[in-house]
Amino acid sequence: MSAVAERTAVAPRPRTHLPTGKGGSAAPLIPAFAAGQAVNVRRHLLALRDFRRDEFGTSIARPSDGHIQAVNALLAKLRQPLEDAVTEVEESSRRIQAGSPSTAQLHELLRLKSRAHDWVRATERVWDFYWELFGQRQQSPYGEWLFSCDRIALDCYQHVFMHLGSSISIPAPPPFAYMRTGFSPATYRRNIPLRKLGRQLNPFPLVQLPYHRLVNPWTMGAILHEVSHNLQNELSLEKAVPHAILTRLREAGLPEPVARIWARWNREIFGDMMGCLLGGEAFVASLMDVIGRAPDQALGYHPHGVHPTPYLRTFLSTELLRRMGFPATAQAYDRAWKRLYPSTAGGTLPPALVRTWPAAVPVVVDAVCFTKFPSLGDKSLRQVITFEPRHQQMIEEAGDRLARGVDPGVVPERFLIGAVRVAVDRRLASPETLMRNFYTELSRR
């Protein structure tokens, strides 16, 4: 055959292979199709099983029993409607396999199958999210780094709940840290609907930390800030704090629009204030690392933003630091900040905010930290969280020990952020050595 004839020749028709029944005859496709749909959705359901703690390794970094149990409870809740949907598909499939199904019966199977697959996708979305989070704990060294962050968060919770003026229900399980490369620190509070979970309620606080913070633990004041966001809700202060800010600023005679701006910023202000109370000087230094940006950013104002303008955030923290018993350090930070930003010219801050912030800052700090709240057992935040100059001395001694690679002593976990900060600022050891010693100490506890 010529090349032309070969190209134009009609190809032989492929054979159609049908399922064969008894004796080799072709089995009816519709019953086989119906049976397959039932098998598929049942196997989808079985695959979305509970997690087991032992499948995430045997190291101390693996998720706790409490975290596993909380996620499994959420999955069980999601599997119930999926189980119902699968059962309906199976019943419809059996009716079709019984013989001579109508078009209406076939369409019912297809609708039920689609409904079951919708539940599969919703459940799988949650299952995949926690599989990824828990799976990070198997990756060395990230597992131990994240476990170390868990310990710091737990220490913050323990300190606060041990010093309340009255007993309240203890939240469980504690915060769980995970890594996201390229993202800013963030948190997802307990029992709030998350988009990434299909609007299901998050069963425990999540603290998201970027890789670049984990490799520089002296910048990890972010943990204290993000944990504080969770504590504002755990302590039922999400409404009381903005109310206190607004009330006190009005009483001080601040213009109403200015008072409302400060109240709108309440969550981020609370995170900074509690972070400072928990971590002291090192928290403010870490904050300045983060918000020390180009002047147009540091002096920029966003009409609907929830973060205070960076320029003002440092003055809130130094005001609190001064009232905590660190006047010289607060003055030094103020001086450095004003050296970086000697003028508000060129920024977009409202003139009324620029004119009144020196009067507003002490009032806001007083409203957040020195107001007694019923949910704290009629204590103020400052009375609940004690950080004094003697604690800074502990941090500095621990920093020297971290640099030498010896046991830093019985300091609280959250103080180790300050300790590694002291060590790196004073160049007591290389940054790599300090990072390694920081995580070694926290992971051995």
Side-chain angles (χ1 to χ4, degrees):
M1 182 182 294
S2 68
V4 173
E6 195 171 17
R7 286 197 300 271
T8 57
V10 177
R13 180 174 299 185
R15 295 181 60 188
T16 301
H17 298 282
L18 298 176
T20 56
K22 190 174 181 180
S25 61
L29 282 176
I30 292 301
F33 174 81
Q37 307 319 299
V39 169
N40 291 344
V41 295
R42 173 59 65 180
R43 287 181 60 80
H44 287 155
L45 171 60
L46 294 175
L48 297 170
R49 55 171 177 77
D50 280 352
F51 291 121
R52 303 185 318 275
R53 191 181 184 210
D54 60 8
E55 65 186 316
F56 299 105
T58 58
S59 76
I60 57 171
R62 62 181 174 166
S64 71
D65 286 330
H67 292 109
I68 294 290
Q69 291 164 6
V71 171
N72 285 344
L74 175 59
L75 291 172
K77 177 184 174 183
L78 289 171
R79 279 197 301 264
Q80 187 54 56
L82 175 55
E83 173 70 50
D84 295 341
V86 169
T87 299
E88 289 179 334
V89 170
E90 290 172 335
E91 291 173 351
S92 177
S93 174
R94 281 193 291 270
R95 287 192 292 270
I96 290 172
Q97 293 178 69
S100 301
S102 66
T103 300
Q105 287 177 310
L106 294 174
H107 286 179
E108 179 191 36
L109 173 65
L110 295 174
R111 284 192 294 270
L112 292 173
K113 169 196 170 183
S114 295
R115 179 169 172 266
H117 280 186
D118 288 342
W119 278 110
V120 166
R121 282 190 290 268
T123 309
E124 193 171 51
R125 184 178 186 179
V126 175
W127 197 93
D128 285 347
F129 176 77
Y130 287 105
W131 175 261
E132 180 184 347
L133 257 62
F134 291 163
Q136 287 186 354
R137 300 306 178 97
Q138 295 178 282
Q139 303 174 39
S140 181
Y142 311 123
E144 290 188 359
W145 293 2
L146 294 169
F147 173 76
S148 299
C149 297
D150 291 349
R151 297 303 301 267
I152 293 171
L154 179 61
D155 177 48
C156 294
Y157 263 69
Q158 289 173 335
H159 179 85
V160 169
F161 277 85
M162 285 290 290
H163 294 91
L164 296 176
S166 59
S167 61
I168 62 175
S169 180
I170 302 170
F176 187 87
Y178 72 105
M179 180 176 66
R180 275 291 184 272
T181 302
F183 286 79
S184 297
T187 192
Y188 301 98
R189 301 190 305 277
R190 189 191 315 273
N191 290 331
I192 64 167
L194 294 186
R195 187 180 301 109
K196 58 184 63 182
L197 297 180
R199 309 304 295 174
Q200 295 297 319
L201 299 183
N202 179 41
F204 47 80
L206 294 170
V207 178
Q208 175 183 287
L209 297 167
Y211 177 72
H212 65 266
R213 295 290 183 90
L214 289 166
V215 298
N216 297 318
W218 43 90
T219 68
M220 295 284 271
I223 298 177
L224 309 183
H225 176 96
E226 301 303 337
V227 166
S228 297
H229 281 318
N230 291 283
L231 284 166
Q232 185 174 0
N233 281 70
E234 307 269 31
L235 298 170
S236 301
L237 293 173
E238 67 274 17
K239 294 181 180 178
V241 167
H243 177 74
I245 292 173
L246 196 58
T247 299
R248 298 292 290 277
L249 288 171
R250 285 169 173 168
E251 291 173 351
L254 273 291
E256 183 69 13
V258 169
R260 290 191 174 277
I261 290 172
W262 287 102
R264 188 180 75 233
W265 289 340
N266 81 91
R267 291 201 66 84
E268 297 303 324
I269 290 173
F270 186 88
D272 286 351
M273 296 293 91
M274 181 174 262
C276 185
L277 288 171
L278 288 165
E281 294 181 8
F283 176 83
V284 184
S286 180
L287 178 67
M288 290 172 64
D289 283 346
V290 175
I291 64 175
R293 304 171 183 171
D296 61 321
Q297 295 176 317
L299 296 168
Y301 172 77
H302 300 282
H304 304 292
V306 297
H307 288 81
T309 296
Y311 175 74
L312 300 177
R313 285 180 72 177
T314 293
F315 294 124
L316 284 163
S317 293
T318 56
E319 173 65 21
L320 176 56
L321 203 59
R322 190 174 293 108
R323 295 186 64 174
M324 289 167 59
F326 300 89
T329 304
Q331 185 179 13
Y333 284 152
D334 276 345
R335 190 182 303 115
W337 198 242
K338 290 177 180 177
R339 181 73 178 84
L340 291 171
Y341 307 104
S343 169
T344 58
T348 56
L349 286 163
L353 196 60
V354 174
R355 186 176 64 254
T356 59
W357 77 258
V361 163
V363 176
V364 171
V365 170
D366 200 68
V368 176
C369 300
F370 296 90
T371 298
K372 293 182 178 180
F373 294 106
S375 62
L376 300 182
D378 202 31
K379 280 187 172 184
S380 69
L381 205 61
R382 174 59 176 155
Q383 289 173 315
V384 171
I385 306 172
T386 54
F387 189 102
E388 301 170 355
R390 60 191 174 90
H391 297 127
Q392 182 61 31
Q393 293 176 6
M394 293 171 61
I395 285 172
E396 293 179 8
E397 184 176 0
D400 178 69
R401 294 182 183 182
L402 273 181
R404 291 186 286 115
V406 299
D407 187 343
V410 293
V411 295
E413 284 83 354
R414 67 187 187 278
F415 284 6
L416 290 176
I417 297 175
V420 75
R421 178 88 202 191
V422 165
V424 76
D425 284 350
R426 296 179 181 177
R427 301 182 182 182
L428 301 181
S430 71
E432 184 65 25
T433 296
L434 292 171
M435 181 197 76
R436 184 173 60 252
N437 293 351
F438 173 83
Y439 287 120
T440 297
E441 171 57 24
L442 281 166
S443 62
R444 77 170 181 81
R445 292 190 172 204

